Amino acid sequence: MLKKALLAIPVALALGATAHAEKPPEEVLQGLIDSIDSRYLTQSEMNLMMMPDNPALWVGMDGEDLFHTPRGPNNVSMEACDFGKGPGVLEGAYVEMPRYFDDTGKVMDLETRIVHCMTEVQGFAADDPAVRQRHGSGSDHMKIQTYIAMQSNGMEWNNPLDHPLEKAMRDAGQVLFARRAGMSDFNCYACHGQSGKQVRASVLPNANVPEDWTKAISWPAHRVGHDNVRSSQHRVRGCYYQMRQAGMLAGSDASIALISYWTDMARGQPAILPDMKR
Amino acid sequence: MFKKTPLAAGIAAVATIIFAGGCAVADAGKNGKVDYTAMTPHELAEYLIFEANGGGFNLAQEMQEGGTARDRMKQDELQKACSIIGDGKPDAETLEAVRQAATESIVYPEGGIQLGDWERGRVLAWSGFGYRVGHNYDDHNVREVGGTCYNCHQFATDRVGGNVGPSLTGYGKTRGTSEPILKYVYDMIYNPHTYFPCTHMPRFGSSGFLDKQAIADIMAYMFDPESPVNE
């Protein structure tokens, strides 16, 4: 632990240099805390203190190596992949996702775009562990996602809605957010429609408060309770699970529609990347 | 209780016809791809759940209550009526229909409402186990289904409860155990839309989530003078 803490500063600095992060994530969060009165934002002083030493920073560093190393049957690095701002351009790419990609004719989130890059550009088979294994700090996916996302730390969420498909997906996501179904009749508002609401000891983010919601959707984040870095897709799956609705399929258009809407709800607020959550 | 009605089935059927045929969808013809932009947001949401690439969810999975996840994702009339963008309420007429259907759904135990075993009720009120599916399926043969009540309510203060619903600490002590109050709480657990149409509290009785014994035990936890709720 102590060793990690000592290492944390150089890590943050090293990544900061490439990551265009004038403010480290904990300062982005502090800025939000100072701007409104929110029990959600302030619920874990411990996490705020730990953020300079966020284990996700290491996961992101591993991701940096993976990203820039030629890999897969085609032996090319991910620098050849377009995340929306041109091949290899990562700065600010993640806060503008999900977005429409001309080469697939689809709206894609970060995770599905990484899958696309691995399979179409690097040539990995769809069932290769690099592609298939989506969860856990040890997975290539979480490492790469964290690295890419960190290049948007402190930047404002701004997923484009210019293309008709982007708009259609965002609007469908809004319907999904409100859609009740399953054994408990829940929609997302049941737990995220008001401020200061708690499920057991957890204070929940209010989706109508963008300052709350930017933290809520700032994934990848190290989830202390899971001792792993988690993704947006993991969170979506988890909430549908608690709602007693069907198991969300990773990367489905339904999941991307929902993520388009939830990103839109945080528009204009700075992303905290990587974040740390309960 | 609202059933999975012909109305609901009808909407799904219409969707299937439109999308399977591809004809009603603008410009779908050329590459056989469905045009999302030709649908209303509601149509697209339904399409993404039930149709796109075989469905956005694991729809074939078998559910604890029988049927598949596809059945579980279909909305009944109440769920449809209470799914309002922005979380507002439907119009007064719809609310009244929801309330009335809820009242009609409530089935009372033979011999009247009884309190069961508060100690089991304490366990059930706390437990979040049951009816979860997907990647970590709740096997009801391994553990009994709980009520998830603590997620939203505070009861006895020895454990931290949520505050999505009001605190129920000291409930029996402050309200007594008269027939009307027992009926009120039974109704609330069975189908709370009878008092609060389009509430976010689940219908634990009408949905089959909790059986009669579980409801009696949880009520005992709320009303029994020995229960820590009433300390």
Side-chain angles (χ1 to χ4, degrees):
Chain A
M1 200 65 235
L2 183 61
K3 191 159 160 242
K4 263 195 169 180
L6 289 174
L7 277 169
I9 294 163
V11 168
L13 285 179
L15 286 167
T18 56
H20 176 86
E22 284 125 27
K23 280 190 199 169
E26 60 275 19
E27 282 181 30
V28 178
L29 173 56
Q30 190 60 54
L32 291 163
I33 290 173
D34 295 341
S35 74
I36 60 159
D37 191 16
S38 163
R39 282 187 65 216
Y40 168 65
L41 292 176
T42 53
Q43 71 181 310
S44 181
E45 220 166 290
M46 176 72 113
N47 282 1
L48 194 57
M49 269 166 48
M50 298 270 292
M51 276 174 79
D53 195 21
N54 189 343
L57 292 166
W58 272 264
V59 175
M61 256 182 41
D62 290 348
E64 181 169 18
D65 287 343
L66 282 176
F67 187 92
H68 296 286
T69 305
R71 297 172 77 223
N74 299 346
N75 201 35
V76 287
S77 84
M78 288 189 139
E79 290 162 16
C81 304
D82 181 4
F83 289 90
K85 304 199 139 227
V89 182
L90 299 184
E91 196 177 306
Y94 178 53
V95 282
E96 294 184 19
M97 294 177 92
R99 70 152 67 226
Y100 175 77
F101 287 91
D102 217 15
D103 54 8
T104 56
K106 288 173 64 118
V107 175
M108 303 169 92
D109 70 343
L110 177 58
E111 185 169 308
T112 46
R113 192 63 187 170
I114 291 172
V115 170
H116 172 80
C117 178
M118 286 174 162
T119 54
E120 304 306 313
V121 179
Q122 296 184 304
F124 283 108
D127 63 353
D128 192 288
V131 183
R132 216 187 49 229
Q133 179 62 42
R134 305 285 172 92
H135 303 309
S137 296
S139 66
D140 289 0
H141 260 285
M142 285 320 307
K143 291 173 183 172
I144 295 164
Q145 273 195 42
T146 306
Y147 172 62
I148 295 175
M150 283 165 67
Q151 318 305 312
S152 288
N153 175 51
M155 298 181 195
E156 294 174 4
W157 296 106
N158 190 25
N159 56 322
L161 296 176
D162 307 322
H163 193 280
L165 264 180
E166 291 168 340
K167 178 83 169 51
M169 290 287 272
R170 177 259 175 227
D171 292 352
Q174 183 175 34
V175 173
L176 291 174
F177 199 88
R179 188 181 189 276
R180 295 181 183 228
M183 287 300 284
S184 298
D185 305 325
F186 288 145
N187 57 15
C188 309
Y189 296 119
C191 299
H192 299 296
Q194 286 174 277
S195 290
K197 288 296 175 191
Q198 263 172 251
V199 161
R200 302 197 190 209
S202 301
V203 184
L204 302 176
N206 181 350
N208 304 307
V209 175
E211 292 87 348
D212 266 16
W213 203 245
T214 180
K215 176 170 165 59
I217 67 160
S218 285
W219 302 96
H222 180 77
R223 266 195 88 174
V224 176
H226 291 193
D227 196 19
N228 265 291
V229 174
R230 298 302 192 193
S231 63
S232 301
Q233 286 281 345
H234 189 272
R235 185 64 252 176
V236 169
R237 187 183 79 170
C239 279
Y240 274 101
Y241 180 72
Q242 292 301 341
M243 290 161 83
R244 273 81 180 163
Q245 296 195 29
M248 175 62 87
L249 296 180
S252 67
D253 280 352
S255 70
I256 294 169
L258 191 67
I259 292 172
S260 295
Y261 178 60
W262 88 11
T263 308
D264 183 39
M265 280 191 295
R267 185 179 304 282
Q269 296 296 326
I272 306 160
L273 296 165
D275 191 23
M276 212 162 169
K277 292 183 167 73
R278 306 170 46 95
Chain B
M1 172 196 176
F2 282 134
K3 286 270 176 316
K4 308 269 179 190
T5 56
L7 180 62
I11 287 176
V14 168
T16 311
I17 290 162
I18 293 173
F19 303 127
C23 50
V25 181
D27 296 330
K30 278 186 211 140
N31 50 8
K33 268 177 84 179
V34 171
D35 182 1
Y36 288 1
T37 65
M39 302 181 207
T40 66
H42 278 90
E43 284 169 349
L44 180 54
E46 297 300 307
Y47 183 79
L48 296 183
I49 295 169
F50 294 110
E51 310 287 336
N53 304 310
F57 294 80
N58 180 4
L59 298 175
Q61 191 175 26
E62 282 178 26
M63 299 293 98
Q64 294 91 346
E65 70 275 22
T68 62
R70 179 179 289 277
D71 302 316
R72 200 188 272 187
M73 292 305 284
K74 286 179 190 154
Q75 292 178 297
D76 69 11
E77 280 188 40
L78 178 142
Q79 290 168 337
K80 260 191 244 160
C82 299
S83 295
I84 308 281
I85 285 174
D87 205 25
K89 297 279 183 192
D91 61 63
E93 207 177 310
T94 309
L95 274 182
E96 181 52 24
V98 166
R99 199 196 56 71
Q100 216 168 321
T103 308
E104 283 162 16
S105 81
I106 299 175
V107 178
Y108 295 94
E110 278 169 44
I113 298 165
Q114 306 285 337
L115 299 182
D117 168 4
W118 71 259
E119 291 185 70
R120 180 167 181 263
R122 176 174 182 269
V123 174
L124 295 179
W126 176 257
S127 167
F129 185 86
Y131 292 105
R132 290 171 303 190
V133 300
H135 60 288
N136 193 9
Y137 188 86
D138 285 341
D139 180 352
H140 293 184
N141 297 317
V142 173
R143 262 173 79 186
E144 57 190 0
V145 174
T148 67
C149 315
Y150 261 98
N151 284 351
C152 297
H153 295 286
Q154 185 61 260
F155 291 86
T157 50
D158 56 335
R159 299 198 269 207
V160 181
N163 66 357
V164 176
S167 168
L168 305 175
T169 308
Y171 205 85
K173 198 162 89 176
T174 51
R175 319 274 169 129
T177 53
S178 66
E179 211 174 297
I181 191 71
L182 291 184
K183 177 179 179 295
Y184 172 70
V185 169
Y186 183 87
D187 289 349
M188 278 303 293
I189 298 173
Y190 204 96
N191 192 334
H193 298 268
T194 184
Y195 300 112
F196 301 95
C198 294
T199 178
H200 285 301
M201 178 165 154
R203 295 168 280 179
F204 287 102
S206 337
S207 67
F209 204 110
L210 295 176
D211 62 23
K212 293 236 163 65
Q213 190 56 51
I215 295 175
D217 293 341
I218 292 171
M219 285 185 63
Y221 179 53
M222 292 178 62
F223 286 104
D224 195 304
E226 299 293 307
S227 157
V229 169
N230 299 312
E231 247 164 37

